[in-house]
């Protein structure tokens, strides 16, 4: 349906903006660019340069004398407008425009136009009055004039989201595309038993005076939702730590006076 | 809260992109720009040029050697990534990033960073592994590399929407900012009575064989939700039409044979 959204640039002065708009369009899957009475020379090397790989869109641009000529086949015409003008007109935000496109374009006869005005003074009232609705991109009120290609980027992005990405626009559940299975509750509980035993072995943890140690560690690890490979790594570390503790304990009992200095080691400092 | 979102550009090659990013930031109300090991010369006239009125942001830019240096105070670091890399990492869409910022930034200790990589090869794996999460802007899979300033524009736009514009992001009810009161049901019913009478007067409408004429006209006018001024205009037209019909009828009865030709006039064609 994105192919039935025409981007129309009216009276554009800078050829770079035409190229930037073409690139933004192609990034979002749009392909139909029209120019109305461009003030910039077109074609122009600066347009090609800013379009990067979107020169195919530039090569298919149609140029018209008036906005009416560019929209003869359009059933939904939305004009970008920085502010409401003297006569109020239906005025929506880009996200609502996405919804409108989603409601409109499934009809195969529908053809949409998103119209962008001159860099210095936007669309004329006459042009705005040819639009079914006006779209206002939310901006910092102290600095509200978007670059033309940036404005095209935002509306094309909302169009793509509404028409192609809706299901994905919501955050996919964590781990949707994970490559390793997540650890099960059973795996995790075995790990916590192992962890607690190891912490006792290294004299870090006293089960008779546990404070909140295990609870805090559980919260940390559970929050991270470890996968089975990560859990294997953690358990490998615990096993290695246990072995080390066993060795230390053996050597301690073998020659307690000899290793007296070790009692200064802060077990919290690893 | 937007002031606690830092935009970090890593290894940027083109000074124009630094300026374009600054402009996109300021348009959305962001102000904190950091550069990590820029490959572009900076400051640079092309950056100033593309920043347009956002040179205040350029004049406050901090430049760092490494991403770690630029994020020492950051509690949420999100890296823009065109694709998931060899090791999956939490990967979200820009809209979900907005939600995350909205959940995070009300805490006054929170500081966010949105990190953007090199024009030609994005962020390194090492840099991506310094991020809490990765953000993927939905794009056309055949042409997925966004211009750097355009990528900043999209994420800054979602940040602004989430933090400042949420209530407005929904389409405001039609007419929220209308300058003339809307017509009431009573006004409208009087209008429809007037309309029907006029249509009878001009021999367009036969109330004994109404088909769906009035229903269709009601649906049309009601859909447009006329304001009182518009309704006055419509009623003015009806009054003028009635007068005309009265004159025609008088002259008809005065000299019926004389005006025979009028009967050919198609009353549907006005």
């Amino acid at each position: 349906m994105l192919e039935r959204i025409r981007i129309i640039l009216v009276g554009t002065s800078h050829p770079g903006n035409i190229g930037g708009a073409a690139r933004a369009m192609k990034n979002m899957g749009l392909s139909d660019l029209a120019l109305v009475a461009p003030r910039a020379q077109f074609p122009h090397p600066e347009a090609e340069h800013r379009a990067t790989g979107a020169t195919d869109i530039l090569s298919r641009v149609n140029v018209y004398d008036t906005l009416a000529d560019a929209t003869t086949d359009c059933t939904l015409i939305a004009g970008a407008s920085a502010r409401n003008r003297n006569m109020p007109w239906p005025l929506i935000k880009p996200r609502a425009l996405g919804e409108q496109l989603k409601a409109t374009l499934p009809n195969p006869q529908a053809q949409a136009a998103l119209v962008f005005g001159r860099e210095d003074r936007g669309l004329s009232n006459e042009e705005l009055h040819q639009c079914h609705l006006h779209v206002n991109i939310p901006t910092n009120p102290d600095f509200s004039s978007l670059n033309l290609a940036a404005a095209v980027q935002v509306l094309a992005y909302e169009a793509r989201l509404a028409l192609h990405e809706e299901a994905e626009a919501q955050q996919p559940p964590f781990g949707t595309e994970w490559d390793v299975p997540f650890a099960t509750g059973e795996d995790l509980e075995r790990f916590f038993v192992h962890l607690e035993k190891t912490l006792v072995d290294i004299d870090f943890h006293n089960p008779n005076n546990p404070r909140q140690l295990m609870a805090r560690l559980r919260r940390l690890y559970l929050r991270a939702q470890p996968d089975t490979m990560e859990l294997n790594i953690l358990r490998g570390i615990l096993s290695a730590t246990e072995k080390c503790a066993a060795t230390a304990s053996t050597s301690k009992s073998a020659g307690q006076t000899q290793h007296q200095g070790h009692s200064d080691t802060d077990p919290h400092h690893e």
Side-chain angles (χ1 to χ4, degrees), chain A:
Chain A
M1 289 183 283
L2 292 170
E3 73 280 2
R4 280 187 281 114
I5 301 177
R6 181 174 306 144
I7 299 292
I8 302 179
L9 307 181
V10 179
T12 306
S13 291
H14 301 296
N17 284 336
I18 299 173
R23 180 172 179 179
M25 289 171 60
K26 188 164 177 178
N27 282 145
M28 296 296 132
L30 276 65
S31 53
D32 183 359
L33 176 60
L35 304 179
V36 171
R39 292 181 288 170
Q41 206 193 323
F42 183 84
H44 191 285
E46 177 66 12
E48 304 279 325
H49 175 67
R50 285 278 298 281
T52 319
T55 44
D56 53 327
I57 291 184
L58 294 184
S59 68
R60 288 192 310 266
V61 158
N62 292 306
V63 182
Y64 299 92
D65 290 335
T66 68
L67 178 57
D69 292 337
T71 55
T72 48
D73 59 338
C74 293
T75 57
L76 175 67
I77 306 171
S81 176
R83 60 192 186 287
N84 218 332
R85 308 298 177 111
N86 51 344
M87 178 155 70
W89 212 260
L91 180 69
I92 65 175
K93 300 284 176 193
R95 191 150 302 169
L97 173 70
E99 293 305 307
Q100 183 93 51
L101 292 170
K102 198 170 66 165
T104 302
L105 288 175
N107 178 341
Q109 264 85 51
Q111 168 69 49
L114 309 183
V115 187
F116 299 83
R118 296 152 193 85
E119 288 95 336
D120 50 350
R121 54 199 163 86
L123 293 167
S124 70
N125 281 336
E126 192 194 349
E127 287 154 356
L128 284 166
H129 293 173
Q130 292 172 45
C131 298
H132 294 89
L133 43 86
H134 299 161
V135 185
N136 174 250
I137 299 176
T139 50
N140 174 359
D142 299 329
F143 189 69
S144 65
S145 174
L146 263 77
N147 166 262
L148 181 56
V152 171
Q153 181 71 66
V154 170
L155 297 198
Y157 162 75
E158 287 287 5
R160 182 176 189 84
L161 275 198
L163 296 172
H164 272 237
E165 310 273 344
E166 175 139 280
E168 296 178 55
Q170 313 224 346
Q171 180 164 3
F174 170 74
T176 300
E177 297 180 4
W178 219 251
D179 55 348
V180 169
F182 285 96
T184 63
E186 191 181 4
D187 296 335
L188 287 161
E189 292 309 318
R190 265 203 298 256
F191 164 71
F192 288 127
V193 168
H194 193 172
L195 175 64
E196 182 161 16
K197 176 182 172 301
T198 307
L199 296 178
V200 172
D201 284 0
I202 62 170
D203 286 337
F204 182 90
H205 175 48
N206 178 357
N208 299 320
N209 180 20
R211 291 166 304 181
Q212 296 190 295
L213 178 68
M214 287 312 296
R216 288 181 184 281
L217 287 170
R218 292 180 75 90
R219 188 177 59 177
L220 171 74
Y221 284 113
L222 291 172
R223 208 165 68 227
Q225 254 190 275
D227 68 30
T228 50
M229 191 182 293
E230 291 162 343
L231 208 65
N232 283 343
I233 295 168
L234 293 173
R235 295 201 59 176
I237 294 170
L238 294 181
S239 297
T241 309
E242 276 182 310
K243 207 181 226 169
C244 179
T247 311
S249 154
T250 310
S251 80
K252 244 194 237 176
S253 47
Q256 207 150 15
T257 50
Q258 212 178 325
H259 293 82
Q260 199 66 280
H262 272 201
S263 62
D264 286 339
T265 307
D266 177 5
H268 288 76
H269 186 264
E270 179 162 318

